[in-house]
Amino acid sequence: MNSTADLAARLRSRGVNPTRPRIAVAQTLFARMAHLSAEDVYKKVNMERQCVSKATVYNTLGLFAEKGLIREVIADPSRVFYDSNTVPHHHYYNVGTGELSDIHSEELHVLGLPPLPDGMVLEGVDVIVRLKAAAP
Amino acid sequence: MNSTADLAARLRSRGVNPTRPRIAVAQTLFARMAHLSAEDVYKKVNMERQCVSKATVYNTLGLFAEKGLIREVIADPSRVFYDSNTVPHHHYYNVGTGELSDIHSEELHVLGLPPLPDGMVLEGVDVIVRLKAAAP
DNA sequence: CTAACTGCAAACGTTTTGCAACTTT
DNA sequence: AAAGTTGCAAAACGTTTGCAGTTAG
């Protein structure tokens, strides 16, 4: 479940102090499987729960991402999306609507990654499959 | 080579009217193999050639990208990079320095792309391999 | 008591836009 | 003249930051 206590434990397990605003943001993020922009989170938190300022939403999302509780998805130059699913996976991006969705498949793999440049360590591999509506 | 006439022909072949500012931007883009932000292009154009306003640089880059003369690379939330190499390829992104580089390999492939959602057409597949400096 | 956190508003950097002037046809 | 293009300055947008006040350990 997503009780406050569970969420608090989840944050603590990543070294994040579970304050009330952070719990509120966490509830919004983890209640649904979604790809939300900071603005989306701000609106949803303040609609569903008590008031959290925009600065705190941004700071909290940055903190959660840094601590590995959520994942930043960079697909659109105009805003960052936050994905509550931290299991490695890839994304479709609908260029027309700006909608992001998971690629529900075990079959998508990146093969043949060349040896990394010297002194570099892999941080992640992001695959964005850009889609548009078919011509009518 | 990259003579003005050749660049003009290159723009025309994509339906872009080769005006003087656009040629200047094209020279800067195609002179080197590089990943430049709009700001980079603005600085280089105005250092190397005659003055082109920031608005025109932005508009021109957008136009070139739309017409397929260059490719937008979305790797960093803070700025868009423009790649003069339009042959399909993928990128390393150095998270520490913000530097983008090509993956020079025929070996990197994306395998197992699932069937696209109904009524959707593929626009492109972008792979960003995020790297950071190894811990000392 | 101290350190951590929050909210507000102002600042920021990138990108877009309105519009008058200037080309080009 | 009409259509397309440019430059400037201002606006817009998402995001970050400074700081005073609040909360939590």
Side-chain angles (χ1 to χ4, degrees):
Chain A
M1 293 290 295
N2 278 327
S3 74
T4 298
D6 290 336
L7 288 169
R10 193 160 167 180
L11 301 201
R12 253 188 235 102
S13 76
R14 297 290 187 140
V16 173
N17 211 338
T19 64
R20 210 171 310 89
R22 288 173 183 170
I23 294 286
V25 170
Q27 293 225 27
T28 295
L29 284 169
F30 299 129
R32 53 184 78 63
M33 218 304 297
H35 304 89
L36 302 173
S37 67
E39 181 72 21
D40 294 336
V41 173
Y42 175 71
K43 284 197 195 121
K44 278 184 196 285
V45 164
N46 287 295
M47 200 183 300
E48 299 170 5
R49 320 196 191 279
Q50 82 274 12
C51 191
V52 179
S53 79
K54 203 166 258 199
T56 298
V57 169
Y58 274 95
N59 291 336
T60 300
L61 290 171
L63 180 66
F64 283 8
E66 185 196 328
K67 299 295 189 175
L69 286 158
I70 57 180
R71 174 174 164 193
E72 278 186 347
V73 182
I74 297 159
D76 182 320
S78 75
R79 60 210 187 286
V80 176
F81 288 99
Y82 295 91
D83 190 343
S84 49
N85 177 9
T86 55
V87 174
H89 66 283
H90 301 298
H91 295 99
Y92 289 124
Y93 181 67
N94 185 325
V95 173
T97 64
E99 190 193 353
L100 200 63
S101 55
D102 286 349
I103 296 185
H104 294 296
S105 169
E106 301 297 302
E107 291 166 58
L108 185 82
H109 294 298
V110 175
L111 280 197
L113 188 62
L116 303 184
D118 220 37
M120 291 284 118
V121 176
L122 190 66
E123 208 187 74
V125 178
D126 292 351
V127 179
I128 309 280
V129 179
R130 284 170 210 283
L131 304 177
K132 62 183 179 213
Chain B
M1 292 292 295
N2 278 328
S3 74
T4 299
D6 289 337
L7 288 170
R10 193 158 168 181
L11 301 201
R12 253 188 236 101
S13 76
R14 297 288 189 143
V16 174
N17 211 337
T19 63
R20 210 171 309 91
R22 287 174 184 168
I23 294 286
V25 171
Q27 292 225 27
T28 296
L29 284 169
F30 298 131
R32 54 184 78 63
M33 218 305 297
H35 304 90
L36 303 174
S37 68
E39 181 72 21
D40 294 336
V41 173
Y42 174 71
K43 285 197 195 121
K44 278 184 194 287
V45 164
N46 288 295
M47 199 182 301
E48 299 169 6
R49 322 197 188 277
Q50 82 273 11
C51 192
V52 178
S53 78
K54 204 166 256 200
T56 298
V57 169
Y58 274 96
N59 290 338
T60 300
L61 289 171
L63 181 67
F64 283 8
E66 187 197 325
K67 299 295 188 174
L69 285 159
I70 56 179
R71 174 174 163 193
E72 279 186 347
V73 182
I74 296 157
D76 182 320
S78 76
R79 61 209 186 287
V80 175
F81 289 99
Y82 295 91
D83 190 343
S84 48
N85 178 8
T86 54
V87 175
H89 65 282
H90 302 298
H91 295 98
Y92 288 123
Y93 182 66
N94 185 325
V95 174
T97 64
E99 191 192 354
L100 201 63
S101 54
D102 286 348
I103 297 186
H104 294 296
S105 171
E106 300 297 302
E107 292 167 58
L108 184 82
H109 293 297
V110 174
L111 284 196
L113 188 62
L116 303 184
D118 219 38
M120 291 284 119
V121 176
L122 190 65
E123 209 189 72
V125 178
D126 293 351
V127 178
I128 309 279
V129 179
R130 283 170 211 282
L131 304 177
K132 62 182 179 213

